[in-house]
Amino acid sequence: MIDIHGLRKNFGPLEVLKGVDLAVARGEKVVVIGPSGSGKSTLLRCLNLLEQPSAGQIFVEGEEITAGGADVNRIRQKMGMVFQQFNLFPHLNVLDNIVLAPVRLKKKKRAEAEKTALSLLEKVNLADKAASFPGQLSGGQKQRIAIVRALAMEPEIMLFDEPTSALDPEVVGEVLQVMRALAEEGMTMLVVTHEMAFAREAASRVLFMDEGAVIEENTPHEFFARPRQERTKLFLRRVTQTL
């Protein structure tokens, strides 16, 4: 579904991505880990063109989205994205936050969009919060709503950019549970996270990024049991010590 060739991204003189190559098949759950500043979030933001790549090619379902004239809005509709900060509209209640994009962008009828939204809220155990406003919700509830909002657009790919990093530890599990359920349903997912347990349990493949490059990738079992690169081993040792 996703094919990346030689992806580079510069912010002025700073090269954040240094020729990343990556292929993600339909139904794969690819988890990207690595130290802060390694380019993980920039990789995701380039995928839906929130950041314009400096060089390289990105194909989504065979279509080159980095080519001139690509329909960015249509491409973004294929990809749901969940951010560190929930980015909910504070002046809209939960239901209105969810139905806004399907009605405006996909031209769905309001009644149909509401039916889908309520069904999704039921799946994440938040149907009783449909009339609540974001300011009345906990962090974990806000992030689950953000996931529902993305799913309401019926995306083919879900991108998660450290979705639990802004949450209190006691509510992280709420969000990971929703993500695990999505993974089990077969959603194609690309997840940037520091949650090693999620990477072990839910990933099809784990990628390790450092200094703008993918330096190691493997199945979760092999990645954690037998890392090959010294940089990967050092990172995993440090992460394990902080748990």
Side-chain angles (χ1 to χ4, degrees), residues 1 3 58-67 69-72 74-75 78:
M1 291 195 77
D3 219 358
I58 302 172
F59 295 85
V60 176
E61 294 189 309
E63 178 184 1
E64 185 184 353
I65 68 173
T66 41
D71 186 341
V72 175
R74 182 177 58 80
I75 290 158
K78 293 183 178 184

Side-chain angles (χ1 to χ4, degrees), residues 29-33 176 180 191 193-207 218-221 223-224:
K29 274 65 70 175
V30 178
V31 174
V32 185
I33 66 174
L176 293 179
R180 286 189 185 97
V191 183
T193 185
H194 292 292
E195 299 292 337
M196 296 299 121
F198 178 82
R200 287 176 187 270
E201 296 165 16
S204 311
R205 220 174 351 138
V206 181
L207 272 59
N218 215 326
T219 62
H221 176 76
F223 183 89
F224 288 104

Side-chain angles (χ1 to χ4, degrees), residues 23-104:
V24 180
R26 184 179 297 276
E28 261 199 304
K29 274 65 70 175
V30 178
V31 174
V32 185
I33 66 174
S36 297
S38 58
K40 307 183 301 295
S41 293
T42 301
L43 173 63
L44 283 199
R45 293 175 68 84
C46 283
L47 268 178
N48 62 5
L49 303 179
L50 288 174
E51 298 289 354
Q52 193 64 38
S54 303
Q57 295 174 295
I58 302 172
F59 295 85
V60 176
E61 294 189 309
E63 178 184 1
E64 185 184 353
I65 68 173
T66 41
D71 186 341
V72 175
N73 287 328
R74 182 177 58 80
I75 290 158
R76 284 181 182 151
Q77 287 183 28
K78 293 183 178 184
M79 300 187 199
M81 186 155 183
V82 178
F83 301 86
Q84 296 177 35
Q85 301 296 336
F86 326 113
N87 292 356
L88 298 174
F89 294 109
H91 62 292
L92 298 179
N93 68 23
V94 165
L95 188 61
D96 288 338
N97 261 285
I98 297 167
V99 303
L100 181 65
V103 169
R104 288 199 179 178

Side-chain angles (χ1 to χ4, degrees), residues 11-243:
F11 293 100
L14 179 64
E15 190 175 31
V16 178
L17 295 177
K18 302 175 181 178
V20 172
D21 296 312
L22 175 63
V24 180
R26 184 179 297 276
E28 261 199 304
K29 274 65 70 175
V30 178
V31 174
V32 185
I33 66 174
S36 297
S38 58
K40 307 183 301 295
S41 293
T42 301
L43 173 63
L44 283 199
R45 293 175 68 84
C46 283
L47 268 178
N48 62 5
L49 303 179
L50 288 174
E51 298 289 354
Q52 193 64 38
S54 303
Q57 295 174 295
I58 302 172
F59 295 85
V60 176
E61 294 189 309
E63 178 184 1
E64 185 184 353
I65 68 173
T66 41
D71 186 341
V72 175
N73 287 328
R74 182 177 58 80
I75 290 158
R76 284 181 182 151
Q77 287 183 28
K78 293 183 178 184
M79 300 187 199
M81 186 155 183
V82 178
F83 301 86
Q84 296 177 35
Q85 301 296 336
F86 326 113
N87 292 356
L88 298 174
F89 294 109
H91 62 292
L92 298 179
N93 68 23
V94 165
L95 188 61
D96 288 338
N97 261 285
I98 297 167
V99 303
L100 181 65
V103 169
R104 288 199 179 178
L105 298 178
K106 299 194 88 170
K107 307 301 180 187
K108 279 194 170 187
K109 292 182 179 178
R110 171 83 189 197
E112 182 188 358
E114 284 191 3
K115 184 178 178 181
T116 300
L118 291 169
S119 174
L120 288 168
L121 284 171
E122 193 78 47
K123 285 179 71 173
V124 299
N125 299 315
L126 288 174
D128 60 330
K129 300 296 183 183
S132 300
F133 286 83
Q136 299 170 309
L137 304 176
S138 70
Q141 290 170 335
K142 288 177 188 175
Q143 195 59 293
R144 282 185 282 161
I145 298 299
I147 294 172
V148 165
R149 182 180 58 179
L151 291 174
M153 288 294 286
E154 299 171 336
E156 297 172 42
I157 302 162
M158 283 289 286
L159 309 176
F160 292 88
D161 185 12
E162 299 193 24
T164 60
S165 64
L167 301 178
D168 292 332
E170 60 188 13
V171 298
V172 166
E174 300 174 4
V175 175
L176 293 179
Q177 185 176 358
V178 173
M179 292 170 64
R180 286 189 185 97
L182 268 181
E184 288 169 5
E185 289 169 9
M187 174 65 75
T188 306
M189 297 166 65
L190 195 54
V191 183
V192 170
T193 185
H194 292 292
E195 299 292 337
M196 296 299 121
F198 178 82
R200 287 176 187 270
E201 296 165 16
S204 311
R205 220 174 351 138
V206 181
L207 272 59
F208 178 69
M209 287 188 71
D210 191 39
E211 297 185 353
V214 176
I215 66 169
E216 185 160 352
E217 63 176 286
N218 215 326
T219 62
H221 176 76
E222 288 297 314
F223 183 89
F224 288 104
R226 285 177 282 276
R228 296 187 295 260
Q229 303 295 328
E230 285 304 318
R231 181 66 186 91
T232 312
K233 293 175 184 176
L234 176 62
F235 176 81
L236 291 175
R237 278 200 302 270
R238 287 176 173 170
V239 169
T240 303
Q241 288 168 2
T242 61
L243 293 178

